[in-house]
Amino acid sequence: YSWGIMAEEIECISPVDGSVYARRPVASRKEIAATFAAAHAAQGKWKRLPLAERAAWCSAAVDAMVAMKDEIVPELAWQMGRPVRYGGGEVRGFEERARYMIGIAGEALADIDPGPRDGFVRYIRRDPVGVVFTIAPWNYPYLTSVNSIIPALMAGNTVVLKHAASTLLVAERYQKAFDRAGLPKGVFQHLVLSHAQAADIISGGQVNMVCFTGSVEGGKAMERAASGRFINVGLELGGKDPAYVRPDANMAHAIENLVDGAFFNSGQSCCGIERIYVHRRVWGDFLDGFVDLTRKYVLGSPLDGATTLGPMVKAEAATFVRKQIASAVRAGARAHIDPHAFPMDKTGTPYMAPQVLTAVTHRGPSIVGRPVH
């Protein structure tokens, strides 16, 4: 965040080179009020449209978004460090999820027949909740946001999107896509907001549902803001994800997928592999293969097509992980990767070499755990 003379601004600081890649002023009270008034006004008509019409508009927006792929891929690299060789994968994933959810909406939203009962006509109908407020994270900015935006719109709700500071331009891409599709005014909108403003919107009763993806602390903040409002709060929060390698596992498959699971997106994934338990019979083979494959990563600028490991989203994130590694080593863990083998690794920057630790305990961080006995 940066504070101007007249208004607060949100800045996207690029992990590529530390420059300000995008800067936007936060919405004013008047803009916020007008946005939600438009969303509530549009929702009454939107929910009455036939499902096929809502599907046609959403499908057109997906088409428009996919058509922007060549612009989105380098934009993602500049905003949050995703290597350009992988950026297209998120756009494909966005498209697959969106089209699937549009396709199943008819079945998913159909009335439910609880069975016959004499003298009664009985059914359960799913009605839209109203205005859905999506608060999306930076690490998978399209994949996470589409999970609530498309279902909300298909169900007859209107949507207001607030995106993370590190991926400010993703919300603008959504707006362009829906505008190019000709979506009726007020059905989809986005706002640039501070955390305090987002909390005030929720606690002020302007929304009917909040969809948040992010940290556990962020989820707690959502619950506090929604307290007493009796609104739906959908939370997808960070986890701590282990893997176990059995003695009969396909070793090549296990190594390839667990290395990728640990380091894809520079390890910045809510379902990333953070510790691995390995059966003692295959411990040596697994560890050797895991370390060897990890050493083959190419740490570098995400704008370089040869890069397979980009920078973390910001220098502070890399500093935090470096401290975790140092703490584990002080506690007796063994580090198997020499950071000097990765020339781009520099303390104080988001560029950080991958690391594999063994002989760790549950009191410290781990990427590869001790053998299972």
Side-chain angles (χ1 to χ4, degrees):
Y1 301 95
S2 77
W3 295 84
I5 295 174
M6 299 299 293
E8 183 184 357
E9 293 182 328
I10 305 293
E11 290 184 339
C12 170
I13 307 297
S14 175
V16 174
D17 59 6
S19 64
V20 177
Y21 184 66
R23 179 187 289 116
R24 299 289 186 271
V26 300
S28 66
R29 288 187 178 182
K30 183 177 180 181
E31 290 169 333
I32 293 171
T35 295
F36 284 98
H40 283 285
Q43 198 266 329
K45 183 176 181 180
W46 178 252
K47 72 178 182 180
R48 289 192 292 271
L49 291 177
L51 187 62
E53 288 190 32
R54 297 202 293 266
W57 263 309
C58 287
S59 295
V62 175
D63 292 341
M65 186 75 86
V66 172
M68 293 186 277
K69 184 182 75 171
D70 290 345
E71 301 166 61
I72 288 172
V73 169
E75 193 173 81
L76 269 181
W78 278 106
Q79 288 182 97
M80 49 74 68
R82 175 79 52 74
V84 291
R85 68 186 294 154
Y86 302 130
E90 177 145 2
V91 178
R92 288 191 297 274
F94 160 87
E95 181 182 11
E96 289 171 0
R97 292 185 184 191
R99 296 203 191 284
Y100 176 76
M101 291 184 288
I102 292 168
I104 66 168
E107 178 183 353
L109 297 171
D111 290 350
I112 299 171
D113 180 2
R117 184 172 181 181
D118 290 344
F120 292 88
V121 176
R122 303 195 303 167
Y123 58 89
I124 299 170
R125 175 160 294 165
R126 296 180 173 93
D127 283 332
V129 295
V131 176
V132 174
F133 187 29
T134 290
I135 302 177
W138 54 264
N139 62 337
Y140 291 91
Y142 290 95
L143 286 179
T144 53
S145 50
V146 74
N147 289 341
S148 60
I149 290 171
I150 290 296
L153 293 174
M154 288 301 300
N157 305 284
T158 53
V159 173
V160 176
L161 170 65
K162 175 224 176 286
H163 228 298
S166 295
T167 43
L168 272 179
L169 303 186
V170 173
E172 295 179 11
R173 288 288 174 191
Y174 268 106
Q175 194 70 64
K176 287 179 183 178
F178 282 115
D179 289 349
R180 290 175 182 176
L183 203 69
K185 179 177 171 55
V187 175
F188 175 89
Q189 300 167 93
H190 79 282
L191 286 169
V192 177
L193 301 167
S194 69
H195 293 167
Q197 286 177 310
D200 287 344
I201 287 168
I202 298 167
S203 63
Q206 298 190 67
V207 301
N208 304 104
M209 181 174 184
V210 181
C211 295
F212 171 79
T213 304
S215 68
V216 173
E217 286 305 310
K220 291 178 180 177
M222 297 298 111
E223 287 196 317
R224 287 193 297 269
S227 178
R229 282 295 172 184
F230 299 101
I231 62 174
N232 294 317
V233 179
L235 304 176
E236 182 190 344
L237 309 180
K240 199 71 174 175
D241 305 296
Y244 170 51
V245 181
R246 291 168 31 140
D248 60 348
N250 179 321
M251 199 53 50
H253 178 86
I255 290 168
E256 177 185 358
N257 284 278
L258 293 180
V259 168
D260 182 66
F263 297 118
F264 185 78
N265 209 36
S266 299
Q268 301 167 129
S269 173
C270 56
C271 57
I273 297 299
E274 298 189 44
R275 57 166 61 96
I276 301 173
Y277 301 91
V278 185
H279 194 280
R280 64 188 306 176
R281 292 215 306 268
V282 293
W283 164 254
D285 289 343
F286 177 83
L287 179 60
D288 289 346
F290 195 100
V291 171
D292 180 63
L293 187 54
T294 300
R295 287 177 176 148
K296 294 177 181 177
Y297 272 101
V298 178
L299 175 66
S301 168
L303 300 168
D304 186 339
T307 295
T308 57
L309 189 67
M312 298 192 73
V313 69
K314 54 186 177 181
E316 294 87 346
T319 296
F320 178 78
V321 176
R322 286 187 174 100
K323 288 180 178 178
Q324 284 187 312
I325 293 170
S327 174
V329 170
R330 285 195 302 271
R334 179 188 173 191
H336 292 260
I337 302 295
D338 180 3
H340 293 101
F342 295 82
M344 282 290 289
D345 179 284
K346 289 182 175 61
T347 301
T349 77
Y351 291 91
M352 179 183 169
Q355 187 54 269
V356 180
L357 302 175
T358 57
V360 296
T361 71
H362 283 174
R363 292 186 297 275
S366 62
I367 295 175
V368 176
R370 57 179 55 186
V372 175
H373 295 283

